[in-house]
Amino acid sequence: MWIFRKCLFLPIILVSPFSLPCAVCMTNCPTLIVTVGLPARGKTYISKKLTRYLNWIGVPTREFNVGQYRRECLKIYKSFEFFRPDNEEGLKIRQQCASAALNDVRQYLADGGQVAVFDATNTTRERRETITVFAEQNGFKVFFVESVCEDPEVIAENIVQVKLGSPDYTNCNTEEAMEDFKKRIKCYENSYETLDEVLDRHLSYIKIMDVGRRYLVNQVQDHIQSRIVYYLMNIHITPRSIYLCRHGESDLNVKGCIGGDSGLSPRGKEFAKYLRQFIQSQEISDLKVWTSQMKRTIQTAEAVSVPYEQWKALNEIDAGVCEEMMYEEIQQHYPLEFAMRDQDKYRYRYPKGESYEDLVQRLEPVIMELERQENVLVICHQAVMRCLLAYFLDKTAEELPYLKCPLHTVLKLTPVAYGCKVESIYLNVDAVNTHRERPENVEVSRMAEEALLTVPAHQ
Amino acid sequence: MEYIMRRRCDSAASVPQLTNSPTLIVMVGLPARGKTYISKKLSRYLNWIGVPTKVFNLGQYRREAVQSYKNFEFFRPDNEEAMQIRRACATNALKDVVIYFSKDHGQVAVFDATNTTRERRISIVSFSKEKGYKVFFVESICDDPDIIAQNITEVKVSSPDYVNCDKDEAQADFLKRIECYKQSYVPLDDEKDRHLSYIKIFNVGSRYLVNRVQDHIQSRIVYYLMNIHVTPRSIFLSRHGESELNLLGRIGGDSGLSPRGHKYATALGGFIKGQHIKDLKVWTSHMKRTIQTAEHLGIPYEQWKALNEIDAGVCEELTYEDIQENHPEEFALRDQDKYRYRYPNGESYEDLVHRLEPVIMELERQENVLVVCHQAVMRCLLAYLLDKTSDELPYLKCPLHTVLKLTPVAYGCRVEHICLNIEAVNTHRERPGNVDVTRDPEEALKTIPEHF
């Protein structure tokens, strides 16, 4: 009766999304997050980031951007005049788009979605009232996220980063686009009714002021809203880069064994030296370096010669009974387990070990702190790096366990616009390949050769 | 041993960067707004997650300076003599804060006083700047007369100040005391105080204003404060029923319940029904023995991997005798520092606390909850709820077949032990006299409880 998701295989008891057990909040009503704010206040940035985070921790979330609905409806954007408050036709179309979006929200939340982010200006009390009624009728909880910002520099920067490149302005030059967009904002300003401490005291919301300097939080109803507030209060937009890499090649890597706690091979030590040079060449201000508590990451950081912090949470996935085995040995001793892992690599939990899903839960505080920090180098492990990468690059649970994270390669991630720019820097020191692709045959009845087909070469 | 040598700066987890400057949390608010409640709770939480924290309550300094409290007139704004005493007390308290940070390796100090004037707050900010401390204000604003009256009844009427008064006298005097502060009360201001770091809590948490969170610890403090509530409720802690491995004196593992364990589970079901608890949430771990126990309750329950028993690594499913025979040095090291000791390929109590932090956070959010868990896990949760130190934690008594009912009251927790009268083995091993690695096996095994 507690089962939220049916377990697929016997030995593995159900696994829980994020820190919470299966049924908490999942049996509760879905949540509708409603953004509020003038254009260029970061609503879409927040919507996308929040959606990415919630999906990563296992809460099915989708964003519904009304601007996109408008673009589909209108095909060609002419000018800001469309947004004039006295443009009857424009208003009608915008109203229809909002309704269409809400309709899709209803569909999504009925079909297994847990959180929907309704990304639009929603600047009038009237519009918000409509949404609240819609939510009540459908049994959704509502949580407003308002972004208030009067800093002209921040607004200008936003416009440059995400508006100028928008489909609306493909045929304009920069100045024209900027001018038009500023007039667009003006169209909303007169009718803008910010969330009010008194009038809206019964609503659940967070008001983010001046890009996070200040927050007003009102009537948080439940766990998911509390987590959303915590997340929103920890993100920032100060430019920075996150460097992800694995430890240098280890002795166990060379043998083709998984897990364990071995030291670096000679090539691994070589890599650590190159890593040091690379870091120095990047001339990064105030770089924080994080490692796990396993020898191979610590030894790598030691060679980089910068102060580093150890996180137990960054330890490699625990392979339980399969620790320190080669894939050939796993096939030999645990052929059933091996097949089941190939069937659902994300949820599969090694006996007495962990699953990728467990890893994500374990890594959540790391992600939260990464959001707070600025320049950070994380020296970790294959499965761990896959989880972190999946968060930054918005990869699904299906893709995550197969992301390519080769040894001796640094990934430099730089937030840009609504996403992340990735640069892959291979530091030119040979290493074994530790990436095992999903084999064709994942049946428990398969032959040993079929199982071992994709095992990478080792000594 | 490697686990001793490693550089422990376990960032953000249990212990944020210790190399940073200490933090001075400054409470702000009229009397009876929950400042001391918040101070004590916050301090308990921070200490539990490994951040050395201490509360400096100005009222206590005043009680030491002015041996016997007469009445509210002491607090009249025109009472010059009293003002001088009160200022001196504040100075002394801040002096002690300096000692706590510099000599006692404190990381966070909570300055629990009204701090209702801008003047007082400015002087604290200068003081901190001079010393290199970060400042974070926590202001509690409440205008609900029912809440205030309730606060006064719960904690003021029984204060040492009112030991010779009856309830009504005490209540009346305290209300006059509050009036003395009201005139000069200047709340943190949106404009004037925009450069300060603070959280304003309105009406026991219906609304919060958060300004300029500077760092990780402040972010954690804000998150915690936003999750606590004062709605009356009870937390029930129990271990799983006696397990097959318990009977054999083996630690860890994932065995099912013994016959007596099943009996306990049934009795637990009966006990819970008898309590008539409204909206009870039941939590278990992912291990068979807690799940089997919960199954008997006939109530929906939720499984948390975080509630799994401490991982004993290479010692899983061994008896203490086995551990002494195969890993005598580890066994001794564990007795030397049971809180920090990590089983090879396993966990330490310290790791457990870190793992349990989200459980504690959710426990704070919830109301009536029954947690069916394990010995080490229960010790950690209990230590949090009863403010036990990390030295006491690993030796807290959590016997099988006993329910602990914890009910928050005043500044702490009332505990009721309910033994459900079903026999079970004892699994509690006291710290032996000799913890030296050179000790004889008999000395190591002296305190082992009996088993089959």
Side-chain angles (χ1 to χ4, degrees):
Chain A
M1 53 182 158
W2 76 94
I3 296 176
F4 171 63
R5 260 176 309 177
K6 285 195 140 303
C7 25
L8 302 171
F9 1 83
L10 279 172
I12 299 120
I13 306 186
L14 32 130
V15 284
S16 346
F18 55 105
S19 307
L20 271 194
C22 279
V24 165
C25 292
M26 300 298 152
T27 47
N28 285 1
C29 30
T31 304
L32 177 59
I33 297 177
V34 181
T35 63
V36 179
L38 293 173
R41 261 58 175 182
K43 297 183 302 298
T44 301
Y45 176 81
I46 289 168
S47 300
K48 287 183 180 265
K49 213 167 152 73
L50 187 56
T51 301
R52 177 161 58 87
Y53 168 70
L54 290 172
N55 278 311
W56 186 73
I57 62 172
V59 181
T61 305
R62 190 184 294 176
E63 32 136 8
F64 297 83
N65 177 285
V66 173
Q68 253 163 260
Y69 283 77
R70 189 258 308 153
R71 271 182 283 273
E72 259 152 65
C73 186
L74 207 50
K75 298 302 175 194
I76 298 176
Y77 172 78
K78 291 209 187 66
S79 77
F80 77 96
E81 308 256 356
F82 178 79
F83 291 97
R84 285 178 55 157
D86 55 2
N87 182 342
E88 277 299 324
E89 199 189 319
L91 282 170
K92 221 170 85 166
I93 294 176
R94 288 156 71 194
Q95 178 86 307
Q96 281 169 0
C97 289
S99 301
L102 285 178
N103 231 7
D104 286 351
V105 162
R106 190 206 331 255
Q107 183 84 340
Y108 174 67
L109 294 179
D111 276 345
Q114 189 60 28
V115 177
V117 183
F118 186 61
D119 177 17
T121 49
N122 299 313
T123 39
T124 61
R125 186 156 284 112
E126 181 197 359
R127 168 60 61 85
R128 297 195 290 267
E129 182 57 33
T130 313
I131 297 170
T132 308
V133 166
F134 160 85
E136 249 159 60
Q137 285 170 350
N138 287 286
F140 307 149
K141 286 185 180 173
V142 185
F143 188 74
F144 292 94
V145 177
E146 181 171 18
S147 174
V148 176
C149 179
E150 292 314 318
D151 184 337
E153 279 179 31
V154 173
I155 296 167
E157 178 64 30
N158 285 356
I159 298 178
V160 166
Q161 270 217 26
V162 297
K163 299 299 179 186
L164 300 186
S166 137
D168 290 344
Y169 296 111
T170 30
N171 295 319
C172 302
N173 70 36
T174 312
E175 268 114 49
E176 285 172 351
M178 183 71 87
E179 269 317 298
D180 185 272
F181 201 84
K182 286 193 178 146
K183 292 202 188 102
R184 214 154 108 175
I185 297 177
K186 275 251 165 321
C187 294
Y188 286 88
E189 271 174 7
N190 282 337
S191 57
Y192 181 19
E193 295 168 291
T194 184
L195 285 168
D196 184 78
E197 273 182 36
V198 178
L199 293 171
D200 297 310
R201 68 188 176 283
H202 296 299
L203 298 181
S204 297
Y205 65 84
I206 177 172
K207 198 188 264 223
I208 304 170
M209 296 168 268
D210 292 323
V211 206
R213 198 142 294 161
R214 225 162 126 73
Y215 305 91
L216 186 62
V217 180
N218 197 64
Q219 306 278 14
V220 170
Q221 300 171 51
D222 59 16
H223 177 92
I224 191 73
Q225 291 180 16
S226 160
R227 291 286 286 275
I228 288 166
V229 164
Y230 185 41
Y231 181 72
L232 293 178
M233 287 175 58
N234 280 317
I235 60 181
H236 67 77
I237 54 169
T238 311
R240 50 85 170 251
S241 289
I242 295 168
Y243 299 79
L244 299 181
C245 77
R246 290 168 66 186
H247 52 81
E249 183 190 69
S250 72
D251 289 326
L252 282 177
N253 284 145
V254 171
K255 296 202 188 96
C257 299
I258 67 172
D261 193 14
S262 59
L264 298 181
S265 69
R267 297 195 295 196
K269 292 187 181 137
E270 194 62 21
F271 164 72
K273 289 204 201 106
Y274 277 75
L275 182 62
R276 177 196 176 149
Q277 286 172 16
F278 170 71
I279 292 300
Q280 281 172 352
S281 73
Q282 290 276 303
E283 289 179 343
I284 309 151
S285 87
D286 281 329
L287 179 71
K288 296 265 159 66
V289 178
W290 297 350
T291 69
S292 69
Q293 285 181 2
M294 299 180 132
K295 290 200 196 76
R296 49 200 189 277
T297 57
I298 293 170
Q299 285 178 13
T300 308
E302 282 285 329
V304 178
S305 247
V306 283
Y308 58 92
E309 294 161 19
Q310 299 176 27
W311 291 69
K312 187 169 190 275
L314 284 171
N315 280 6
E316 181 57 317
I317 192 172
D318 185 351
V321 298
C322 297
E323 276 287 317
E324 301 199 37
M325 287 191 179
M326 298 183 285
Y327 288 117
E328 292 86 342
E329 290 172 295
I330 302 178
Q331 170 58 30
Q332 190 182 11
H333 299 288
Y334 300 98
L336 186 68
E337 297 293 328
F338 203 33
M340 298 212 289
R341 184 161 208 253
D342 283 337
Q343 289 177 17
D344 189 353
K345 197 175 176 191
Y346 184 72
R347 273 164 214 86
Y348 172 83
R349 192 185 278 166
Y350 284 107
K352 300 207 171 141
E354 294 176 302
S355 63
Y356 270 94
E357 194 168 21
D358 295 328
L359 247 198
V360 161
Q361 184 176 325
R362 177 157 53 87
L363 286 167
E364 202 264 347
V366 177
I367 287 294
M368 197 63 89
E369 189 57 18
L370 266 175
E371 286 294 346
R372 289 197 55 80
Q373 291 290 341
E374 294 182 18
N375 293 314
V376 187
L377 163 65
V378 184
I379 302 173
C380 54
H381 305 266
Q382 183 167 246
V384 169
M385 188 162 157
R386 284 171 171 155
C387 292
L388 299 179
L389 201 57
Y391 167 75
F392 287 109
L393 301 185
D394 203 16
K395 299 294 181 185
T396 64
E398 277 65 49
E399 299 170 294
L400 186 161
Y402 297 101
L403 292 176
K404 285 209 168 69
C405 296
L407 287 164
H408 299 185
T409 307
V410 181
L411 291 187
K412 177 178 178 179
L413 301 151
T414 311
V416 70
Y418 294 139
C420 240
K421 185 175 82 187
V422 197
E423 290 166 66
S424 175
I425 305 116
Y426 172 58
L427 292 189
N428 251 326
V429 179
D430 276 339
V432 292
N433 172 26
T434 58
H435 187 93
R436 180 175 166 267
E437 284 293 357
R438 189 182 197 261
E440 285 282 327
N441 193 344
V442 298
E443 291 294 318
V444 295
S445 55
R446 67 189 176 179
M447 312 279 273
E449 306 82 57
E450 295 179 285
L452 299 174
L453 213 64
T454 55
V455 172
H458 58 85
Q459 279 181 15
Chain B
M1 294 301 302
E2 218 172 283
Y3 71 94
I4 296 171
M5 276 166 20
R6 65 175 184 252
R7 228 169 294 178
R8 287 302 309 274
C9 300
D10 205 357
S11 187
S14 306
V15 184
Q17 296 160 334
L18 293 175
T19 46
N20 282 3
S21 18
T23 304
L24 179 62
I25 298 178
V26 181
M27 303 302 300
V28 180
L30 293 172
R33 262 58 176 179
K35 296 185 301 298
T36 301
Y37 175 82
I38 291 170
S39 302
K40 286 180 183 259
K41 214 169 151 74
L42 186 57
S43 166
R44 176 161 58 89
Y45 167 70
L46 291 173
N47 278 310
W48 186 75
I49 61 170
V51 181
T53 305
K54 188 170 176 186
V55 178
F56 296 82
N57 176 284
L58 202 51
Q60 256 163 255
Y61 282 79
R62 189 258 308 156
R63 272 184 280 275
E64 261 153 63
V66 182
Q67 291 298 324
S68 93
Y69 172 77
K70 290 206 187 63
N71 62 31
F72 79 95
E73 308 253 356
F74 181 83
F75 291 97
R76 286 178 55 157
D78 55 3
N79 186 338
E80 264 309 313
E81 196 190 322
M83 276 296 180
Q84 257 192 27
I85 296 174
R86 289 159 73 191
R87 246 177 253 128
C89 288
T91 308
N92 287 337
L94 289 179
K95 275 202 189 118
D96 285 349
V97 165
V98 174
I99 296 173
Y100 178 63
F101 284 153
S102 55
K103 296 219 171 57
D104 298 337
H105 310 292
Q107 190 60 27
V108 175
V110 185
F111 186 50
D112 177 18
T114 51
N115 298 313
T116 40
T117 63
R118 176 157 285 116
E119 178 204 2
R120 169 60 62 86
R121 297 195 291 265
I122 288 175
S123 74
I124 295 173
V125 171
S126 321
F127 157 84
S128 305
K129 210 171 178 171
E130 190 200 329
K131 299 282 182 197
Y133 307 154
K134 287 186 178 171
V135 184
F136 189 73
F137 292 93
V138 177
E139 182 170 22
S140 173
I141 293 179
C142 181
D143 46 27
D144 182 337
D146 288 334
I147 297 178
I148 295 164
Q150 168 80 345
N151 286 355
I152 298 177
T153 309
E154 265 209 45
V155 296
K156 300 297 179 186
V157 162
S158 53
S159 131
D161 290 342
Y162 296 111
V163 83
N164 295 319
C165 300
D166 75 33
K167 267 207 299 229
D168 295 318
E169 281 174 356
Q171 190 105 20
D173 184 271
F174 201 83
L175 287 169
K176 293 204 189 95
R177 214 153 108 174
I178 297 177
E179 288 303 314
C180 294
Y181 284 89
K182 273 197 180 156
Q183 297 284 23
S184 56
Y185 179 24
V186 180
L188 289 166
D189 185 78
D190 282 1
E191 254 312 296
K192 297 205 183 99
D193 296 313
R194 69 187 179 282
H195 295 298
L196 298 180
S197 296
Y198 63 85
I199 179 171
K200 253 193 212 223
I201 306 170
F202 295 89
N203 286 326
V204 207
S206 64
R207 192 158 94 244
Y208 305 90
L209 185 63
V210 180
N211 197 65
R212 291 199 181 256
V213 169
Q214 297 172 53
D215 60 15
H216 177 88
I217 191 70
Q218 291 180 17
S219 160
R220 291 285 284 275
I221 288 165
V222 164
Y223 185 42
Y224 181 72
L225 292 178
M226 287 175 54
N227 280 317
I228 61 179
H229 67 76
V230 293
T231 312
R233 52 83 170 251
S234 290
I235 296 169
F236 298 82
L237 298 182
S238 161
R239 288 168 67 186
H240 52 82
E242 183 190 66
S243 73
E244 298 288 353
L245 284 179
N246 284 146
L247 278 179
L248 298 172
R250 294 180 178 280
I251 67 172
D254 192 16
S255 59
L257 298 181
S258 70
R260 299 195 295 198
H262 279 289
K263 261 187 146 152
Y264 170 71
T266 311
L268 182 61
F271 167 74
I272 291 299
K273 273 207 184 69
Q275 288 276 305
H276 300 296
I277 308 152
K278 159 173 108 80
D279 281 333
L280 179 70
K281 297 262 158 70
V282 179
W283 296 351
T284 70
S285 68
H286 276 201
M287 299 180 135
K288 291 202 195 75
R289 50 199 189 279
T290 56
I291 294 171
Q292 285 178 11
T293 307
E295 280 287 325
H296 284 270
L297 301 177
I299 310 174
Y301 58 93
E302 297 158 12
Q303 298 177 30
W304 291 68
K305 187 169 192 273
L307 284 172
N308 279 4
E309 182 57 317
I310 192 172
D311 184 352
V314 300
C315 296
E316 275 287 316
E317 303 200 37
L318 298 184
T319 60
Y320 288 118
E321 291 89 339
D322 291 336
I323 301 177
Q324 171 57 31
E325 196 180 315
N326 299 310
H327 309 276
E329 195 175 346
E330 295 293 327
F331 203 32
L333 289 175
R334 185 160 206 252
D335 284 337
Q336 287 177 17
D337 189 355
K338 196 174 176 191
Y339 184 72
R340 271 162 218 86
Y341 171 83
R342 192 186 277 168
Y343 284 107
N345 291 347
E347 295 176 298
S348 62
Y349 270 94
E350 193 170 24
D351 295 328
L352 247 197
V353 160
H354 170 34
R355 177 156 55 86
L356 287 167
E357 203 263 347
V359 177
I360 287 297
M361 198 61 90
E362 189 58 19
L363 262 178
E364 286 295 344
R365 290 196 55 80
Q366 291 290 342
E367 293 183 20
N368 292 316
V369 187
L370 163 65
V371 185
V372 181
C373 55
H374 306 265
Q375 183 167 247
V377 169
M378 188 160 156
R379 284 171 170 156
C380 293
L381 299 178
L382 202 56
Y384 167 73
L385 294 164
L386 300 184
D387 204 16
K388 299 294 181 186
T389 63
S390 58
D391 292 320
E392 299 170 294
L393 188 161
Y395 296 101
L396 291 176
K397 285 210 170 67
C398 295
L400 287 165
H401 298 187
T402 307
V403 184
L404 292 186
K405 177 177 178 180
L406 297 135
T407 311
V409 70
Y411 295 137
C413 241
R414 186 180 75 208
V415 198
E416 291 166 62
H417 292 253
I418 304 118
C419 175
L420 293 191
N421 262 320
I422 313 271
E423 293 256 339
V425 293
N426 171 26
T427 58
H428 187 91
R429 179 176 168 268
E430 284 294 358
R431 190 181 197 261
N434 190 345
V435 299
D436 241 44
V437 295
T438 54
R439 66 190 176 178
D440 292 324
E442 304 85 54
E443 296 180 282
L445 300 174
K446 226 186 178 101
T447 55
I448 291 178
E450 290 183 0
H451 59 86
F452 286 96

